[in-house]
Amino acid sequence: MRTGDAVWGEPRGQARWREQATSVMRRALMADLKTVPRREPAPDAQLRPPQGPPAGIGGNEGRPYDRLEEGFALLSVVRAERADGQDAYALKGWCGDLTVEASAGSTRLGAPDISLRKAIRGGEFPSEILRGIQLWSENQVELAAWINEIRDRHGAALRLIVWDDTGFELPWELFWVPADEQRGLPAGLLGALLVMARWTTLRDTGQDLPRETGDCHGRVLGYLHEDMADDRHVFKPYAHHMHLRMTSFLEALNTPADRIGLVYMGCHGDYGDTVPRLSLGGRTWAELNDQTMRILHADRSLVCLNACHSGLFVRNSGQGEQALRGFAELFLRKGAGGCIVAAGQVGDQEARALVRSLVGEVTAHPNRPVTETLRAFRARAVAEFGPLAAIPTVRNDDGQVDKFGQKRVLRLLYAFMFHYYGHPLTTVRLTVGEGYGVRGGGGW
């Protein structure tokens, strides 16, 4: 997280799942989609039946969507280049016998302008991002109809997993779901209406859908940059060890000790268009990838990355592989039981307070799945915002930027910026105890 103020108020002009087994499994998921072959050779262009036993939700050895338990839905989204060469996406969803599919089309393009990464000074106005997301959602007619079908069938018991391997930064939590008056279903934003989780392909693990790990229980292990020292107060009721130095934190993450339920990182994150430009707490993606992180393998801890852009992915063709790489994928592959990440910049004091509130709620409700807490958190943000139909304009009648209105929208975007990757039923149960411990020559 960079500490620059992310509050709006300047003119636009001043205002960015072994590998083979996994890819084969994903091809089976999308085998029915008709997409235009990619111009560059890629294994994803070859569709073959799945090989080897799957792992994840359910116990059957069928395709993943045949193994979804009652009340679970899967939406799979993949890149699919259009005939005119534009990068687009195709999607397919399953929930029992209710399915949806849509091939690449003119309304299913990459849509960079609706990325939450743009919610920064010098990017798009927050109200324009939200209006863009609304337009993008309105164009996904088949998807909206399917969502309402599965909402009607399962109600509050519905658990949606969005497996997005596009790297397009599509804001699924902010998808505008239309009302269905005949079924008595209200309109709203997907992440506030439904319990949902995200997923991504994990390379070299032999895992497809997320495994149910029960609760992530134990102590808190964390790293805090000095700019985010106040985050430690969230964990005061729990046994925790907070490190001020990344080296001592990584040593602790590799050293077996008392069981760890939560690994928390409050620090700066940097994002670029290539993997070498990804960094977290001053360490590059590759440097962190070199770490064994034995604690995660042993304890299946939940990882929370309170860092700007920690939820973004990069296509790693520059290092010779057709794979999306990012910090969520890295920590899940290392063994994390789930991962909470940020899809954009959360640098100002208001956003930090929001993150601390979110973490406090997750840790304070040990019997409530993380996904349910996130849904309730987003729903409150929508209620505080007010009617979604009344999006503030960029400028007032006097031609000046509506700073207050833009800040209102920005707060709403912040609440939807935190994404959860993992099984929808994962819970967090932290060890209660005297809170302060010192590790690695610098910590609390």
Side-chain angles (χ1 to χ4, degrees):
M1 180 189 311
R2 287 300 175 196
T3 57
D5 189 1
V7 173
W8 217 263
E10 296 189 7
R12 183 192 297 260
Q14 296 178 4
R16 184 188 108 68
W17 171 315
R18 314 167 252 244
E19 168 141 7
Q20 184 66 24
T22 302
S23 60
V24 169
M25 181 68 71
R26 192 67 189 281
R27 296 178 206 127
L29 274 170
M30 306 302 290
D32 296 331
L33 291 174
K34 307 300 182 183
T35 59
V36 179
R38 303 179 62 85
R39 285 178 295 180
E40 61 185 30
D44 291 337
Q46 304 173 9
L47 302 178
R48 296 195 295 272
Q51 300 174 357
I57 294 174
N60 298 323
E61 293 189 2
R63 295 180 178 182
Y65 51 84
D66 292 329
R67 301 184 353 260
L68 293 173
E69 298 168 359
E70 183 72 15
F72 282 79
L74 171 66
L75 177 64
S76 180
V77 191
V78 296
R79 280 184 181 244
E81 187 180 272
R82 282 166 38 90
D84 59 7
Q86 295 187 76
D87 280 336
Y89 62 91
L91 59 84
K92 191 164 185 178
W94 302 268
C95 184
D97 60 339
L98 299 178
T99 63
V100 63
E101 63 178 294
S103 58
S106 60
T107 61
R108 280 178 288 279
L109 302 180
D113 287 345
I114 64 173
S115 166
L116 293 178
R117 182 157 54 98
K118 294 295 185 74
I120 57 173
R121 187 184 299 279
E124 304 295 335
F125 284 103
S127 64
E128 288 298 286
I129 295 175
L130 188 58
R131 291 182 191 276
I133 295 172
Q134 181 183 25
L135 179 60
W136 165 73
S137 304
E138 290 172 349
N139 285 330
Q140 317 301 310
V141 178
E142 310 97 321
L143 178 57
W146 177 72
I147 290 172
N148 277 337
E149 285 187 303
I150 63 178
R151 287 173 67 197
D152 182 53
R153 175 174 292 186
H154 296 289
L158 181 61
R159 302 291 183 265
L160 173 64
I161 302 170
V162 178
W163 186 350
D164 186 337
D165 269 351
T166 65
F168 288 156
E169 305 171 27
L170 298 170
W172 296 108
E173 288 78 3
L174 279 160
F175 184 88
W176 290 57
V177 183
D180 188 325
E181 295 180 359
Q182 290 185 329
R183 293 184 170 110
L185 300 173
L189 303 181
L190 185 62
L193 290 174
L194 299 184
V195 170
M196 64 178 292
R198 287 194 176 221
W199 194 243
T200 185
T201 296
L202 302 185
R203 307 287 167 173
D204 307 317
T205 65
Q207 178 178 354
D208 52 1
L209 290 170
R211 299 186 181 98
E212 183 171 0
T213 57
D215 63 352
C216 301
H217 66 276
R219 296 173 174 264
V220 181
L221 172 65
Y223 165 73
L224 295 177
H225 186 274
E226 59 184 3
D227 294 341
M228 301 174 68
D230 286 346
D231 288 14
R232 72 188 188 274
H233 296 305
V234 176
F235 306 112
K236 187 175 181 179
Y238 310 106
H240 64 269
H241 295 137
M242 290 292 169
H243 294 257
L244 297 175
R245 300 176 183 174
M246 179 62 76
T247 298
S248 66
F249 166 73
L250 292 176
E251 289 173 351
L253 196 54
N254 279 322
T255 305
D258 293 340
R259 187 177 183 92
I260 301 298
L262 175 67
V263 173
Y264 182 86
M265 296 181 69
C267 57
H268 298 305
D270 286 304
Y271 175 83
D273 294 331
T274 63
V275 169
R277 294 185 179 273
L278 301 181
S279 69
L280 188 64
R283 301 299 173 97
T284 68
W285 182 93
E287 291 168 344
L288 291 173
N289 193 50
D290 283 343
Q291 300 293 318
T292 304
M293 302 186 185
R294 292 181 177 88
I295 293 295
L296 299 185
H297 285 281
D299 298 342
R300 302 287 289 167
S301 315
L302 176 72
V303 172
C304 181
L305 305 179
N306 182 4
C308 289
H309 312 306
S310 55
L312 302 185
F313 292 82
V314 172
R315 297 180 69 191
N316 200 26
S317 56
Q319 295 183 338
E321 61 176 7
Q322 290 295 332
L324 282 176
R325 298 295 188 180
F327 293 113
E329 175 269 338
L330 187 155
F331 283 96
L332 289 167
R333 181 164 38 83
K334 297 291 184 179
C339 197
I340 297 175
V341 292
Q345 179 171 305
V346 287
D348 68 346
Q349 292 298 322
E350 185 174 27
R352 290 183 189 174
L354 184 147
V355 179
R356 290 195 293 269
S357 174
L358 173 59
V359 174
E361 290 188 34
V362 168
T363 55
H365 297 90
N367 298 317
R368 181 192 297 172
V370 172
T371 49
E372 292 188 13
T373 298
L374 281 167
R375 188 212 60 77
F377 184 81
R378 299 175 186 129
R380 282 197 300 275
V382 173
E384 291 171 2
F385 178 80
L388 290 171
I391 303 175
T393 57
V394 172
R395 291 179 172 83
N396 297 314
D397 289 341
D398 61 4
Q400 297 300 308
V401 172
D402 180 2
K403 296 182 180 181
F404 177 77
Q406 296 305 308
K407 289 178 181 179
R408 283 183 57 229
V409 180
L410 191 58
R411 283 194 294 269
L412 180 66
L413 297 182
Y414 279 153
F416 284 77
M417 197 174 285
F418 298 95
H419 300 164
Y420 167 76
Y421 286 77
H423 195 281
L425 300 182
T426 297
T427 57
V428 180
R429 179 164 52 86
L430 300 181
T431 302
V432 176
E434 294 300 324
Y436 297 95
V438 179
R439 287 294 185 272
W444 285 282

